[in-house]
Amino acid sequence: MKITLKDGSFREYAQAMRVYDIAADISGGLARAACAGEVDGSVVDLRTVIDGDCSLNILTVSDAGGLQALRHTCSHVLAQAVKRLFPDAKVTIGPSIEEGFYYDFDHAPFSREDLDNLEKEMKKIIKEGHKLERFTLGREDAIHYMEERQEPYKVELIRDLPKDAEISFYDQGGFVDLCAGPHLMSTKGIKAFKLISSSMAYWRGDSDKAQLQRIYGTAFATKDELDAYLAHLADIKKRDHNRLGREMELFTTVDVIGQGLPLLMPRGTKMVMKLQRWIEDLEDREWGYVRTKTPLMAKSDLYKISGHWDHYKEGMFVLGDEETDKEVFALRPMTCPFQYYCYKNGQHSYRDLPIRYGETSTLFRNEDSGEMHGLTRVRQFTISEGHLVIRPDQAEEELGNCLKLANYVLGTLGLLEDVTYRLSKWDPNNREKYLGDEAYWEKTQDALRQILTENSLPFTEAEGEAAFYGPKIDIQAKNVYGKEDTMITIQLDCAIAENFDMYYIDQNGDKIRPYIIHRTSLGCYERTLAWLIEKYGGKFPTWLCPEQVRILTISEKFDAYAETVRKELAANGIDVTVDNRSEKIGYKIREARMAKLPYMLVVGASEQEQGLVSVRSRFAGDEGQKSVAEFIEQICKEIRTKEIRREVPEEERKQEK
């Protein structure tokens, strides 16, 4: 057989060979570094036997497939350690994931002390150098094997495998796990690992099934790589909006109020107000929107017309019982049907279109309790919602403008570089979920695909992610932990106008159904605030800061001057406070720095005599003395232009001086 290698060279063998043996034939060093193989583009175990012509790439830990094999093996070492220290624990699944691996166990919660002890036991197992031996069993023998070991979850997995599936196991020093691989040849191949955390998880992700305990870990080729990753995790924890947002008193949650119902504190409210006012002025003055204000609830009749009652009722908060109450209401999960009736309030000519309705909408969605997280997944939230009623011939231009507006907003916030684009399509195998036929969906999906292509935006396509009435352009972003959420959405809807008998009069006097574009320009304000907290680590652009300037007095003798400066700044729209406590100035400066404020103005005898302020910023440190007028001009320009000033590192500041 002829084996073509990655560099284009080839080797020929007269008999079948394992991937590992071919690696050893090429080089002993390559065999020692090998983690898995790639045969004709598919990742395989090192123990896989090759018996015909193929292309072969030996994967090391430097390759994604090789690193996954290393981490997968580490998850088995974790499971073996758990069975040694907690013999009654039942094992379930333990895959490698993007950032490392996890393993789920049916056991009581694991403490940090438990994780530390498990790490010690894992090091013993690695040092023992157990070879991982692969073997297979027939279905009934495999079930019997795991029943004897009293591992019910493995038995369930085996029973659910396809009838023709090969059922393979790996044995490492007496610990045997049901697994398809691939794995390292020996536990000694694991050089650097760490158990990160533990949390609750449901068996097979189903909240109706058993609660398990999930242990997360990671593994790398070297200790240096592991240390760098752990440092990255430490930074992530500092940026986690759920922690940092509370520390900065931007928001809080209260058990008696409920999950997914955060309280925005004054500082967080100030930031959302700034965002909201900016978006409303931007849409109305520069992008041609008109504003509506509609009810937070409606009768079920409205949602039956829109289709939400049939397609989305489980996600709504319903007030009343259809069987016993004369009228049943529901809190709104969206604003579109309300704005349709604003349109229907009068008759419209083709010359009137497009009509762009905008609303700062508070919405309610009955999210699963297990999905709640800080400000990113909540049950009550506010979005920059809009619906454009357009003629079919206006679709391309208006969709393009919606995308341009969204990208402008993201760019201004400094978030554009962090997003990806997704075309969310229908699932043709689940037709009852959607309005319209196949031709409708192909037409509308092609229209959105064309907009993304014309704007030279790289995008992915996701089947089954569309709304029930139309496809979407979803602008996606990841939080600090790598979880992806939809931040902004643009949807084309060519069907819903029929439900509401919406029309316009064309040039021939005929009634024509308009198209609808559902869109947001900023998305959810709460989720955006969470994103900003994590992006900037709490060090927001000056225009967004709830407190932009803090005036620090050297002593109480300068309180009157500080108040004069405060009034002058406030008169120019600057959010300013005064710290006139009887504390040393060094202490006040440290506190202001810890609060991540953009500017501190120190005032003492010299400043009072000359009508100056000593400016300290988090961007450049000590900026020297300036007149009050000069500082006001500087900061007002920064706020007006929404400039994102770069923070100059301390070393650079010293070099500049």
Side-chain angles (χ1 to χ4, degrees), residues 216-243:
Y216 285 99
T218 193
F220 289 89
T222 66
K223 185 177 183 299
D224 286 346
E225 289 176 300
L226 175 62
D227 288 344
Y229 177 74
L230 294 178
H232 169 65
L233 280 188
D235 180 62
I236 281 175
K237 287 181 180 178
K238 291 178 184 176
R239 290 175 177 270
D240 181 352
H241 87 275
N242 220 354
R243 171 181 170 273

Side-chain angles (χ1 to χ4, degrees), residues 624-643:
Q625 289 185 329
K626 298 180 181 181
S627 69
V628 176
E630 182 184 0
F631 175 73
I632 289 174
E633 182 181 2
Q634 171 190 324
I635 192 173
C636 284
K637 180 182 178 183
E638 186 180 336
I639 292 169
R640 183 178 66 255
T641 61
K642 297 178 175 56
E643 179 185 357

Side-chain angles (χ1 to χ4, degrees), residues 10 30 179 240 243 458 655:
F10 62 88
L30 181 60
C179 188
D240 181 352
R243 171 181 170 273
Q655 290 174 8

Side-chain angles (χ1 to χ4, degrees), residues 288 350-356 388-391 394 398:
Y350 70 97
R351 294 188 181 89
D352 299 329
L353 304 188
I355 297 177
R356 308 179 187 93
L388 288 72
V389 186
I390 63 173
R391 303 191 309 263
Q394 296 170 326
E398 292 300 320

Side-chain angles (χ1 to χ4, degrees), residues 21-234:
D21 296 327
I22 296 174
D25 184 56
I26 297 170
S27 156
L30 181 60
R32 287 190 294 274
C35 297
E38 187 177 42
V39 177
D40 292 335
S42 298
V43 177
V44 300
D45 192 271
L46 292 169
R47 301 155 192 81
T48 299
V49 175
I50 298 176
D51 57 7
D53 295 352
C54 68
S55 63
L56 173 65
N57 180 20
I58 305 299
L59 302 177
T60 69
V61 75
S62 299
D63 304 294
L67 183 58
Q68 285 179 359
L70 168 73
R71 289 170 170 173
H72 194 181
T73 304
C74 201
S75 78
H76 278 222
V77 172
L78 166 60
Q80 185 176 8
V82 168
K83 293 297 286 186
R84 283 187 180 184
L85 299 186
F86 307 98
D88 293 335
K90 304 302 179 187
V91 293
T92 64
I93 58 172
S96 63
I97 54 177
E98 184 177 354
E99 298 291 329
F101 61 87
Y102 70 80
Y103 210 115
D104 289 347
F105 303 92
D106 191 342
H107 188 264
F110 295 97
S111 66
R112 183 65 244 183
E113 183 180 0
D114 291 333
L115 299 188
D116 293 340
N117 290 332
L118 285 168
E119 283 185 358
K120 293 175 184 176
E121 194 63 32
M122 289 173 71
K123 289 176 182 177
K124 290 180 185 177
I125 294 168
I126 292 167
K127 189 174 182 181
E128 289 163 7
H130 299 293
K131 291 183 178 180
L132 279 83
E133 304 287 353
R134 184 179 185 272
F135 65 93
T136 61
L137 292 173
R139 179 178 298 273
E140 294 307 315
D141 287 340
I143 290 172
H144 180 66
Y145 187 82
M146 279 301 173
E147 284 178 338
E148 282 189 329
R149 289 174 170 262
Q150 299 181 4
E151 296 293 358
Y153 296 96
K154 297 295 184 181
V155 171
E156 181 180 329
L157 291 172
I158 294 169
R159 291 188 190 279
D160 289 348
L161 289 172
K163 290 184 178 180
D164 59 349
E166 181 180 64
I167 303 174
S168 59
F169 298 82
Y170 284 82
D171 183 338
Q172 59 188 49
F175 171 74
V176 179
D177 205 352
L178 170 72
C179 188
H183 284 288
L184 305 184
M185 298 299 287
S186 163
T187 60
K188 278 194 172 180
I190 301 169
K191 305 298 183 185
F193 74 93
K194 180 71 178 175
L195 298 184
I196 305 298
S197 63
S198 66
S199 63
M200 188 274 287
Y202 291 111
W203 171 232
R204 294 188 154 182
D206 187 340
S207 59
D208 293 328
K209 295 185 184 294
Q211 287 189 12
L212 307 174
Q213 298 303 316
R214 175 171 295 178
I215 297 178
Y216 285 99
T218 193
F220 289 89
T222 66
K223 185 177 183 299
D224 286 346
E225 289 176 300
L226 175 62
D227 288 344
Y229 177 74
L230 294 178
H232 169 65
L233 280 188

Side-chain angles (χ1 to χ4, degrees), residues 300 309 313 317-331:
S300 60
W309 202 253
K313 184 179 177 183
F317 288 101
V318 178
L319 311 176
D321 188 320
E322 286 189 285
E323 294 184 4
T324 59
D325 295 327
K326 184 178 179 181
E327 290 184 328
V328 174
F329 288 79
L331 299 178

